[in-house]
Amino acid sequence: MINVIGLGYIGLPTALMMASHGVEVIGTDYNKELVDTLRAGYTTFKEDGIDELFQAALNAGIKFSTEYQVTDTYIVSVPTPYDKFSKKVDACYVISAVKSVMAVCPKGATVVIESTISPGTIDKYVRPVIEANGFTIGEDIHLVHAPERIIPGNMVYELLHNNRTIGADNKEIGEKVKALYASFCQGEIVVTDIRTAEMTKVVENTFRAVNIAFANELAKICRHDNMDVYEIIRICNMHPRVNILQPGPGVGGHCISVDPWFLVGDYPSLAKVIDESMRTNDGMPDFVLNRIYEIMKEKGLKEIGRVGLYGLTYKENVDDMRESPTLQLLESQERHLATGLKVYDPLITKDVVANQFHDLDTFLDAVDMVVIMVAHSEIREHMVELKNKVVLDTRNICNLDGVFKL
Ligand SMILES: NC(=O)c1ccc[n+]([C@@H]2O[C@H](COP(=O)([O-])OP(=O)(O)OC[C@H]3O[C@@H](n4cnc5c(N)ncnc54)[C@H](O)[C@@H]3O)[C@@H](O)[C@H]2O)c1
């Protein structure tokens, strides 16, 4: 039986996927409300295919609990934020989950850390917890790192099809855990050592962050001299070995805006390009705020309270708002002692920020200028309703006449 610890965006689909492929699974989360919701038969976030997967897992007998189970395999999928000051990984959730596992697990158990962690985290924080409980690693407890690559918005498909990495101290345990993931994963599963697995996951997200920063920097250069960054990128990408990403209003979510900082925190004198890239991406909400003021001036608009941010999540077609560019922009606005920006996101039904609307018509009545922050399908479908507004499109999805771009 597998005990999946942490039933968030990663742990829940993983638990459901294993259960629906014939593995006996109990999911544990210390959030009682979340466990009660799952027990009542409801999923806790929106995602393509998650409800069908949930039903299949329920039919296969998955259980949910706030208690850690006595079993032979644990998968730990708890948050790994970064310390805002040191930039290093904050491993407190992982440490606490492993401590709780140690309190119940029998000798011979395998502990798989799925959470994204910086290289060396297992050596520095996880092994000492296990040894402090009197276990010998490799004899009494086996340690594995199996980082996750799935992207919100396409999680169910990617869980089934992505390639994976398994890091283990010894090949036999690595192969055992590989077989567990192969119960559902149709991609290639590479078995390597733990440090390499830790590093590859962080490097993958860093690659993305640096490339996004390059596109964002191009947007700034092009804005400075009034060139069309999108046309320039389109033409450059016709070169057979060039593939520039698209600029945007910032980077959010719990991966690309977080993980590269781990390398900056651990290697401050070496990770220069990464550091600068992260600062460039983090500076984009400020850049958008400046664009708003520039355009207001050009159009003779006086009131910031008549400007509306359209989209609140960190990416399109998901309801996850963590670290979203819109939230960063609202913080930036407060730092500049301005307030009043209106906000609306068709996928967010609960109240999360001031001046938030829950209906497109009243939102549009309240604003003269709309800033498209997210490329939700639902926003694309209602584009024509913006035709009498001043529009700043940070996602390059609006073709109406006179639209302002980044
Ligand atoms: N969300 C993504 O797109 C994504 C993609 C790849 C990897 N990751 C990584 O996966 C890990 C999990 O991320 P997430 O997005 O699922 O986080 P999340 O915040 O959505 O979920 C984490 C869950 O763990 C629970 N939890 C925390 N500590 C616990 C403990 N000690 N015992 C029991 N439950 C505990 C929380 O209540 C929460 O429900 C992170 O390391 C993240 O970087 C996330």
Side-chain angles (χ1 to χ4, degrees):
M1 191 258 282
I2 312 289
N3 190 195
V4 176
I5 313 295
L7 299 173
Y9 286 94
I10 296 300
L12 180 65
T14 304
L16 300 179
M17 196 54 91
M18 286 185 173
S20 64
H21 285 78
V23 180
E24 191 187 348
V25 178
I26 298 191
T28 294
D29 200 295
Y30 64 14
N31 178 341
K32 185 175 177 308
E33 202 185 321
L34 182 146
V35 169
D36 286 346
T37 305
L38 295 171
R39 279 182 167 165
Y42 300 102
T43 48
T44 40
F45 55 89
K46 291 185 191 135
E47 182 65 40
D48 261 2
I50 193 95
D51 290 333
E52 295 78 356
L53 184 64
F54 186 55
Q55 202 48 55
L58 287 178
N59 294 344
I62 191 170
K63 303 246 173 340
F64 303 105
S65 173
T66 52
E67 304 293 322
Y68 284 63
Q69 308 295 309
V70 178
T71 186
D72 56 1
T73 309
Y74 298 85
I75 295 181
V76 176
S77 188
V78 296
T80 43
Y82 71 100
D83 179 280
K84 293 266 161 44
F85 180 68
S86 71
K87 311 291 189 203
K88 290 173 189 283
V89 67
D90 177 355
C92 68
Y93 294 95
V94 173
I95 295 169
S96 151
V98 173
K99 277 185 183 163
S100 304
V101 168
M102 289 304 110
V104 296
C105 74
K107 278 191 176 181
T110 300
V111 180
V112 180
I113 308 291
E114 263 213 18
S115 301
T116 303
I117 44 181
S118 60
T121 299
I122 288 199
D123 285 351
K124 199 165 165 194
Y125 299 111
V126 178
R127 290 186 201 276
V129 171
I130 296 174
E131 283 156 1
N133 279 270
F135 292 117
T136 303
I137 296 168
E139 286 178 25
D140 305 328
I141 297 290
H142 302 290
L143 254 180
V144 172
H145 178 42
E148 182 50 75
R149 288 177 169 142
I150 55 177
I151 188 169
N154 198 23
M155 282 182 161
V156 175
Y157 177 88
E158 289 208 355
L159 258 178
L160 286 169
H161 295 98
N162 281 358
N163 302 324
R164 306 192 65 107
T165 316
I166 306 277
D169 287 336
N170 80 59
K171 193 98 183 127
E172 194 189 321
I173 295 297
E175 291 298 330
K176 201 181 106 188
V177 173
K178 175 177 172 175
L180 172 64
Y181 281 94
S183 65
F184 65 87
C185 170
Q186 298 165 31
E188 186 180 337
I189 305 178
V190 175
V191 178
T192 182
D193 61 89
I194 286 179
R195 179 72 72 119
T196 305
E198 289 175 322
M199 184 65 172
T200 49
K201 169 66 196 175
V202 176
V203 167
E204 288 160 14
N205 283 346
T206 303
F207 173 86
R208 302 270 304 149
V210 169
N211 281 281
I212 293 168
F214 178 63
N216 285 337
E217 189 162 284
L218 290 181
K220 287 182 175 176
I221 293 170
C222 291
R223 171 57 41 217
H224 186 73
D225 265 332
N226 211 17
M227 295 178 270
D228 181 345
V229 69
Y230 300 104
E231 178 68 348
I232 289 161
I233 291 176
R234 189 181 74 79
I235 294 169
C236 291
N237 283 348
M238 294 170 84
H239 183 294
R241 285 167 297 285
V242 173
N243 187 13
I244 304 170
L245 302 181
Q246 296 296 305
V251 178
H254 256 214
C255 290
I256 299 174
S257 70
V258 173
D259 305 345
W261 283 124
F262 299 166
L263 294 178
V264 177
D266 285 346
Y267 308 97
S269 62
L270 301 174
K272 297 293 187 196
V273 172
I274 302 168
D275 189 5
E276 201 50 54
S277 299
M278 294 302 279
R279 288 177 202 282
T280 300
N281 292 339
D282 284 358
M284 288 312 286
D286 260 339
F287 179 75
V288 175
L289 190 57
N290 281 335
R291 282 291 287 144
I292 292 173
Y293 284 126
E294 269 172 21
I295 295 163
M296 284 176 69
K297 199 167 164 204
E298 188 177 328
K299 289 299 207 178
L301 302 175
K302 300 264 181 289
E303 271 184 70
I304 191 81
R306 298 281 304 167
V307 177
L309 304 179
Y310 199 3
L312 192 44
T313 65
Y314 85 90
K315 65 174 292 221
E316 67 278 10
N317 302 328
V318 300
D319 60 359
D320 187 347
M321 288 171 287
R322 295 179 297 176
E323 322 278 338
S324 92
T326 303
L327 293 177
Q328 293 178 45
L329 201 156
L330 291 170
E331 272 172 31
S332 169
Q333 180 199 219
E334 275 172 27
R335 275 199 308 278
H336 289 90
L337 302 178
T339 48
L341 280 167
K342 306 286 187 283
V343 184
Y344 169 64
D345 188 310
L347 299 196
I348 302 298
T349 47
K350 59 180 186 224
D351 266 323
V352 277
V353 290
N355 300 315
Q356 187 185 343
F357 289 74
H358 293 287
D359 152 81
L360 179 59
D361 290 338
T362 43
F363 170 66
L364 290 180
D365 283 347
V367 299
D368 302 314
M369 174 170 171
V370 173
V371 185
I372 299 173
M373 296 293 289
V374 185
H376 290 314
S377 305
E378 209 166 323
I379 290 183
R380 290 171 187 266
E381 284 156 18
H382 288 274
M383 212 48 94
V384 70
E385 282 154 68
L386 305 183
K387 70 176 183 309
N388 295 324
K389 304 289 174 193
V390 174
V391 177
L392 167 58
D393 174 14
T394 70
R395 297 286 182 179
N396 196 28
I397 56 170
C398 179
N399 293 325
L400 295 172
D401 286 345
V403 165
F404 291 88
K405 301 277 172 168
L406 267 183

